[in-house]
Amino acid sequence: MQRLALFDLDNTLVNRRRALEACVSAFCEERALGAEVVEWMRGALAQRAYPSDFAELRERFRLAELVESLWAAYVRTLAANVECPGEILDGLDQLRAQGWSVAVVTNGAEDIQRAKLVHSGIASCINAYCISGEFGVRKPDPLPLQVAARRCGRDIADGGWMVGDGLATDVAAGRAAGLHTIWVSNGKPRPEEPGGWPEPDRIAPHALAALNHLLSLPGTPR
C-alpha cells in the first residue's frame, strides 16, 4: 500500500466547535447584536456555513450590512479563532518526512476552509487539499478524495488511509474510494443508526492517536 494519508479538517485536525463559539461571540459583540442572534447563529452554523446562511441572517434580523460584508467578516473571524495543536502539526510534518503524501479533504465553502487551513498552519504541513465547495461534490462521494490523491501525485487505486470524525462522510468516502479508514471518535461512543454505519478499520480517540498509528506502520517505498 502506498503512503497516502487523507485527513478531514473540522473536528478532526481542528476543533471547529470551539472556534465557532468564539467566532459567533466576537462577531455579534462587534455589531452589538443580542442573545437572540447569538443563539440563532450557533444553531444555524453548527455543522457548516455558507453565504446563503448570512443572507438569511440579514433578512431575519433586518441587518443593514451587506451579505458579502457579513460573510467576509465571518470568514475572517472564524479563521482567526481556529487553532491546530502543535503536536498535530508536528505529526503531519513527520508523516511527510517518512515519505507520506498528506492531504486534507474537507466539505465546506472554499474561501472559509482555505482560510482555516492557512491560519492554523496546516497548509504548510501538507502536500495538497481538496475542498468540496470547489466543485460542489461533498463527502461521502469519493470524488474529493480522488482529486486530493491526484494533487499529491498519487493514484488512489494504490490504496492509503482516510482519517476523520464522520462515519457517514469520512469513513464512508474512504471505503468507497478503496482506502483504509480511521474514525476519530473524539471520546464519543459510536452512534446508533438504523441500517448501520460503515465500519472503520480503526477507531482513534483523537487525531494525534490516528497520526501515531500511521507513523507506526511498517515502511513502504514511495
Side-chain angles (χ1 to χ4, degrees):
M1 183 192 303
Q2 67 182 337
R3 290 183 171 186
L4 173 68
L6 308 180
F7 291 85
D8 176 49
L9 177 62
D10 292 321
N11 301 317
T12 297
L13 296 180
V14 302
N15 189 328
R16 182 184 182 272
R17 299 181 188 95
R18 183 185 302 155
L20 180 64
E21 284 289 317
C23 169
V24 169
S25 296
F27 182 94
C28 291
E29 182 178 349
E30 182 179 341
R31 290 161 178 77
L33 301 174
E36 184 182 4
V37 180
V38 171
E39 289 306 309
W40 184 88
M41 290 185 69
R42 285 174 177 165
L45 309 179
Q47 298 300 318
R48 63 188 66 88
Y50 291 97
S52 58
D53 295 307
F54 288 81
E56 183 177 352
L57 172 70
R58 184 174 187 262
E59 181 177 357
R60 178 183 290 262
F61 297 103
R62 301 186 180 186
L63 305 182
E65 193 171 352
L66 296 177
V67 171
E68 293 79 7
S69 176
L70 291 168
W71 173 250
Y74 174 78
V75 169
R76 182 174 61 252
T77 307
L78 184 62
N81 283 283
V82 169
E83 297 180 353
C84 184
E87 58 267 28
I88 299 297
L89 297 176
D90 290 343
L92 295 172
D93 282 336
Q94 289 177 47
L95 279 177
R96 293 179 68 194
Q98 287 190 11
W100 288 77
S101 292
V102 182
V104 167
V105 185
T106 176
N107 289 342
E110 186 175 1
D111 49 359
I112 194 166
Q113 298 301 79
R114 183 183 297 110
K116 286 152 66 176
L117 286 167
V118 172
H119 185 273
S120 65
I122 293 171
S124 63
C125 297
I126 59 178
N127 299 98
Y129 58 82
C130 182
I131 301 169
S132 70
E134 296 179 60
F135 37 77
V137 177
R138 299 171 52 84
K139 294 175 294 183
D141 192 300
L143 178 61
L145 281 64
Q146 296 162 355
V147 172
R150 287 200 300 271
R151 289 177 178 176
C152 288
R154 303 282 187 164
D155 185 344
I156 205 165
D158 294 331
W161 290 81
M162 177 69 210
V163 180
D165 72 305
L167 287 168
T169 51
D170 305 310
V171 173
R175 287 174 60 89
L179 303 180
H180 289 297
T181 59
I182 302 178
W183 176 50
V184 177
S185 69
N186 290 318
K188 296 181 180 180
R190 186 182 174 93
E192 298 287 338
E193 173 69 12
W197 295 100
E199 188 69 30
D201 293 285
R202 293 188 65 88
I203 298 175
H206 42 67
L208 184 59
L211 278 163
N212 287 335
H213 173 69
L214 296 180
L215 288 166
S216 73
L217 293 175
T220 56
R222 291 192 178 198

